[in-house]
Structures are given as C-alpha cells and as structure tokens.
C-alpha cells in the first residue's frame, strides 16, 4: 500500500487540477456568453437603426401617397390604409424584438432602470400584477448586470406563460457578498425537479449561466402552491 502522505499529496494534486479545470471551464463559458450577448446587441441595433428606420420611412411615404389620392379613389384609399396598418404593426413588432434581444436601457441606464422597465412591460400580461422591490445595489460590472437581467427576464416570462399567476413579485437585494434575485408568484406551482429537467422553460439554461459566475438557482414550489425562484450570485465571480 502507498504511503498515506503520498496519497494525500496525490489527492491534493488531483483536487487542484479539478479546481483549475473548473475555473477554466467557467472562463471559457463566460467568454462564449459574452459573444452571444454582443451578437444580440448588434442584431438589436441593426433592427432598430436599419429595419426600423426603413419601415418608418416607408410609413411616411405611404401617408404621402394616401394624402395625394383623389377622394373618389376609394379602393386605393382602402388599400393604402391596410398597407399603413400592416407597416405600423410590423414596425412595432420590430421594435419589440429589438428590445427583447437587447434593451438599450440596460446599456444606457443600468440594471435598476432595466428591471423597472421589465416589470412594467410584464405588468398586466396574462392578467398578472408585477411588483418590484430593489435594494441598494453596489456598482456592478456589465456582465453581472446582464446575467441578473437575463435571469429576471426568463423568470418573468416563465411566470407569465406557465404559472397562470395573478401576482408576481420580483426583488433584487444585496446579501453580504452575494446578490440575491427572487421571483415569487401565486400561480399553479409545479414539481421543481421536473421543471428543472424540462427543456421548454429555460430554467436549466438559467441555472447553467448562473454556475458560470459561481451562482446557484433554487426552486421552491408544489402543485397549486405557487413558485419561488431564487438566484444567488457572488459579487466576486473570478
């Protein structure tokens, strides 16, 4: 049998290798996620500045053509009115898609303002009232702000789509050297293990993103008893 001291040294070496590999995995995972968010930002900007502006110009041109028509040309008036309505709907859909991909308020005004916008945009959706509680937050780097915003965005979307809730409460607080984001609803609830294993609700992806930053995701729920989603992430995630 090997000397116990040699075994302890071997175990320490293996543990250190595993820890280094884990840190490298997280670093690479965060790099991939940054690339994805940069691409979202670029596409959102192209939609807003390119497609959105072109649709705005098209709408103005259609208005000009409609104004120039003779009142007797009723069929053309009706056709242009339908084209204007379609153009307006498409423009609003484009703007909404741009905001969902990467809301400018997150980059321009920061996480607190972005969460207020997110809560307002979900308030009343599906009949649910959304309440927001924000504690005093430290200065956060862009990655943590994006991580927490995406977590809140996915959690609210899940509550709106699946929970059939009447009340949703979103809170973000500092707890020691961690940030604690919580989303609670009074909806139909679920089996947490089954919900985490399902690929259709975004929870597993949310959990993996949090892990890249040393965070964790917990669910507390039961059928008919609502759901509490709790995400914790350290301020120092290196």
């Amino acid at each position: 049998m090997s000397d116990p001291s040699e075994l302890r040294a071997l175990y320490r070496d293996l543990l250190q290798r595993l820890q280094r590999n884990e840190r490298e995995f997280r670093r690479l995972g965060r790099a991939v996620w940054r690339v994805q968010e940069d691409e979202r930002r670029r596409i959102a900007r192209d939609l807003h500045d390119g497609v959105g502006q072109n649709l705005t110009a098209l709408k103005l041109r259609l208005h000009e053509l409609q104004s120039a028509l003779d009142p007797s040309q009723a069929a053309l008036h009706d056709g242009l009115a339908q084209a204007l309505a379609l153009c307006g709907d498409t423009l609003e859909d484009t703007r909404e898609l741009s905001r969902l991909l990467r809301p400018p308020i997150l980059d321009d005004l920061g996480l607190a303002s972005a969460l207020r916008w997110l809560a307002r945009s979900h308030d009343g959706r599906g009949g649910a009232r959304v309440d927001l509680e924000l504690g005093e937050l430290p200065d956060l780097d862009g990655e943590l702000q994006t991580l927490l915003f995406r977590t809140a965005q996915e959690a609210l979307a899940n509550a709106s789509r699946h929970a059939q809730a009447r009340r949703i409460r979103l809170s973000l607080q500092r707890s020691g050297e961690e940030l604690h984001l919580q989303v609670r609803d009074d909806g139909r609830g679920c089996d947490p293990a089954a919900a985490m294993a399902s690929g259709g609700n975004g929870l597993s992806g949310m959990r993996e993103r949090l892990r890249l930053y040393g965070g964790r995701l917990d669910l507390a729920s039961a059928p008919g008893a609502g759901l509490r989603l709790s995400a914790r992430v350290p301020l120092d995630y290196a």
Side-chain angles (χ1 to χ4, degrees):
M1 179 179 290
S2 300
D3 185 85
S5 61
E6 293 180 356
L7 286 175
R8 287 194 294 270
L10 177 61
Y11 290 152
R12 283 197 301 271
D13 182 59
L14 289 174
L15 180 60
Q16 290 170 356
R17 290 184 185 181
L18 287 173
Q19 290 172 337
R20 286 196 299 270
N21 289 340
E22 175 70 12
R23 287 194 295 270
E24 181 65 10
F25 169 78
R26 290 181 178 178
R27 187 189 68 79
L28 291 174
R30 293 196 297 265
V32 170
W33 195 53
R34 282 195 297 270
V35 170
Q36 291 174 338
E37 284 295 325
D38 287 343
E39 186 66 8
R40 280 173 170 259
R41 186 183 291 108
R42 184 190 66 79
I43 295 172
R45 186 174 57 248
D46 288 347
L47 283 172
H48 184 273
D49 296 342
V51 178
Q53 289 187 6
N54 287 342
L55 286 169
T56 299
L58 176 60
K59 190 175 180 181
L60 290 173
R61 182 57 179 154
L62 289 172
H63 268 300
E64 292 173 356
L65 291 173
Q66 189 181 49
S67 300
L69 286 177
D70 189 277
S72 63
Q73 297 174 294
L76 288 176
H77 272 287
D78 291 343
L80 280 174
Q82 293 173 12
L84 278 166
L86 177 60
C87 186
D89 290 343
T90 306
L91 178 59
E92 186 54 39
D93 289 345
T94 301
R95 288 171 175 167
E96 178 66 13
L97 179 57
S98 176
R99 287 191 293 264
L100 288 173
L101 280 169
R102 182 74 186 189
I105 193 172
L106 180 60
D107 295 315
D108 297 340
L109 299 179
L111 178 62
S113 295
L115 289 177
R116 293 188 187 99
W117 167 79
L118 186 66
R120 287 195 305 271
S121 68
H122 278 80
D123 191 37
R125 188 177 297 180
R129 172 71 185 272
V130 179
D131 298 314
L132 175 65
E133 180 183 352
L134 290 177
E136 186 173 347
L137 303 177
D139 290 334
L140 303 175
D141 66 30
E143 286 188 56
L144 271 185
Q145 292 193 58
T146 299
L147 175 68
L148 291 164
F149 177 82
R150 291 300 185 200
T151 302
Q153 185 180 40
E154 189 68 46
L156 285 181
N158 282 332
S160 299
R161 285 197 301 261
H162 305 302
Q164 298 179 354
R166 307 302 299 175
R167 199 73 178 251
I168 303 171
R169 185 171 187 83
L170 167 65
S171 69
L172 178 61
Q173 310 283 340
R174 178 174 181 171
S175 177
E177 294 306 305
E178 287 185 327
L179 291 165
H180 183 202
L181 186 145
Q182 192 173 88
V183 178
R184 291 174 288 175
D185 68 62
D186 62 355
R188 61 183 181 178
C190 65
D191 176 356
M196 197 67 77
S198 173
N201 54 27
L203 292 173
S204 58
M206 189 190 307
R207 179 181 58 187
E208 294 308 314
R209 285 196 300 270
L210 286 163
R211 282 180 176 174
L212 294 176
Y213 291 82
R216 63 188 185 276
L217 179 69
D218 297 304
L219 297 181
S221 181
L227 182 143
R228 184 179 76 247
L229 180 148
S230 177
R232 294 180 182 272
V233 61
L235 290 168
D236 182 10
Y237 57 82

